[in-house]
Amino acid sequence: MADRPIGVGIVGLSATGGWAAAAHLPALAAVEGVELRALVTGSPDSARATDLREAEELQRAAGDTQTFIGLQGRSSPTFRWLRDLVAQGYVGEVLSATVVASSTEWGSPVAPRGVYTLDRTLGATMLTIAFGPAIDLVSMVLGEPREVVATTATRRRQVPLATTGQLVPMTAEDQIAVSGTLAGGAVLSVHHRGGATSGAGFSLLIDGTEGRLEITGAEFPHLGPVVVRGAGGHDRLVLPDGYDAYPQLAGTHVHTLAHAYAAIRDDLIHGTSTAPDFAHAVRRHRLLDAITRSADTGRRVTIHETTQ
């Protein structure tokens, strides 16, 4: 396989734009050793929830087949570096982690093609599209949550269409608040807000016995760049050499995707397991399911890892 490019097919490439055309195609073009070979168009009407049960079914069906999923943020050079910084003791023992995030979607005027994201039952909501990839990166750096208490709400029950101003119903949550503990005992606090009039944003504050890390971005961390500060937030830290294989793409939505495709390529060629797979998808859905159950019942939910 190292002697010929790895073929990639995309299901759901929209002729009128969208994530596949805007990000996946340029990412594929940037990575040596992979090439696009097949396209199938799709539509939002075909979107359906891939929940915990379905994720577990997919993992069982895959068996020993090598699989990959689209949590490209885990390939981010900055977050791979942050994981190493924390593991190497930059902040000492982690005491707490605080996340504050906001999305302009799920409250702002929505294009007709995006109305399906307002329907909680379809699964393409703020919880799965925005919150899920962000909390995945927090877990990558600090370890998996072991228990959560969650409160969610739909504060805006109607959203205007961007084209006509007509109000359409929204059942997806636009407020997600989660507290809990991480595997090492650190306290986790997260608040994600939808329909933010001040714009999207992300911040992660990591407090430890020996220092602090502050990570901020004007977009979500799996999509855009973040700024890292240490020493009480005063000193901006610079990504060291050896993490970024595509510096020419830095600052674009293609950056982390290019690294993700490179990780998939290397896993296929070398038999490694760097890129997240179906087992990781189950782990992430298990967390989202625990958040949903806690919000529905008002109870603390323990997250159990199981072997499939």
Side-chain angles (χ1 to χ4, degrees):
M1 294 182 65
D3 297 330
R4 58 188 177 88
I6 297 169
V8 176
I10 294 181
V11 178
L13 182 74
S14 173
T16 59
W19 182 245
H24 281 272
L25 291 185
L28 283 167
V31 178
E32 185 178 357
V34 294
E35 66 179 19
L36 183 65
R37 292 185 184 167
L39 298 174
V40 179
T41 59
S43 72
D45 294 336
S46 64
R48 292 294 181 269
T50 301
D51 57 16
L52 174 59
R53 178 184 60 81
E54 290 175 320
E56 291 172 338
E57 289 179 359
L58 286 170
Q59 184 188 7
R60 286 192 293 269
D64 295 330
T65 302
Q66 195 166 13
T67 59
F68 305 99
I69 61 171
L71 286 171
Q72 75 268 12
R74 297 184 77 85
S75 298
S76 159
T78 300
F79 276 86
R80 287 188 281 113
W81 168 50
L82 287 170
R83 178 188 57 194
D84 292 345
L85 275 180
V86 172
Q88 292 162 5
Y90 181 88
V91 299
E93 180 184 2
V94 177
L95 302 175
S96 66
T98 305
V99 180
V100 177
S102 56
S103 297
T104 54
E105 301 88 352
W106 295 283
S108 60
V110 61
R113 63 180 295 171
V115 169
Y116 74 105
T117 64
L118 308 181
D119 188 337
R120 188 182 191 222
T121 64
L122 293 182
T125 63
M126 189 174 82
L127 179 68
T128 58
I129 293 177
F131 179 94
I135 200 65
D136 183 64
L137 286 177
V138 175
S139 301
M140 172 185 171
V141 173
L142 300 173
E144 292 291 326
R146 63 185 184 187
E147 60 181 8
V148 293
V149 177
T151 300
T152 63
T154 306
R155 296 292 293 147
R156 296 177 175 87
R157 297 191 175 275
Q158 292 184 316
V159 173
L161 285 175
T163 50
T164 66
Q166 175 189 349
L167 295 177
V168 294
M170 180 168 76
T171 58
E173 301 89 344
D174 59 4
Q175 298 290 325
I176 302 170
V178 179
S179 62
T181 55
L182 300 171
V187 173
L188 173 69
S189 176
V190 184
H191 186 189
H192 188 151
R193 299 163 291 183
T197 57
S198 58
F202 172 88
S203 71
L204 166 60
L205 174 63
I206 303 171
D207 268 316
T209 55
E210 303 297 329
R212 168 183 291 186
L213 282 169
E214 295 181 9
I215 301 95
T216 58
E219 293 185 271
F220 269 71
H222 63 290
L223 297 178
V226 295
V227 173
V228 179
R229 290 185 172 88
H234 301 298
D235 298 334
R236 180 167 178 171
L237 305 184
V238 179
L239 179 71
D241 294 338
Y243 286 93
D244 194 348
Y246 303 98
Q248 72 276 16
L249 300 176
T252 73
H253 291 169
V254 181
H255 193 220
T256 55
L257 266 177
H259 285 87
Y261 276 115
I264 292 171
R265 175 201 62 197
D266 294 344
D267 283 350
L268 288 171
I269 293 174
H270 303 297
T272 51
S273 55
T274 301
D277 57 9
F278 280 9
H280 187 77
V282 169
R283 182 179 300 112
R284 193 51 56 239
H285 274 288
R286 189 172 287 124
L287 172 59
L288 298 184
D289 179 72
I291 290 170
T292 300
R293 286 189 288 121
S294 176
D296 289 344
T297 64
R299 297 179 179 177
R300 181 180 299 272
V301 175
T302 300
I303 303 164
H304 298 284
E305 290 285 339
T306 60
T307 301
Q308 296 297 319

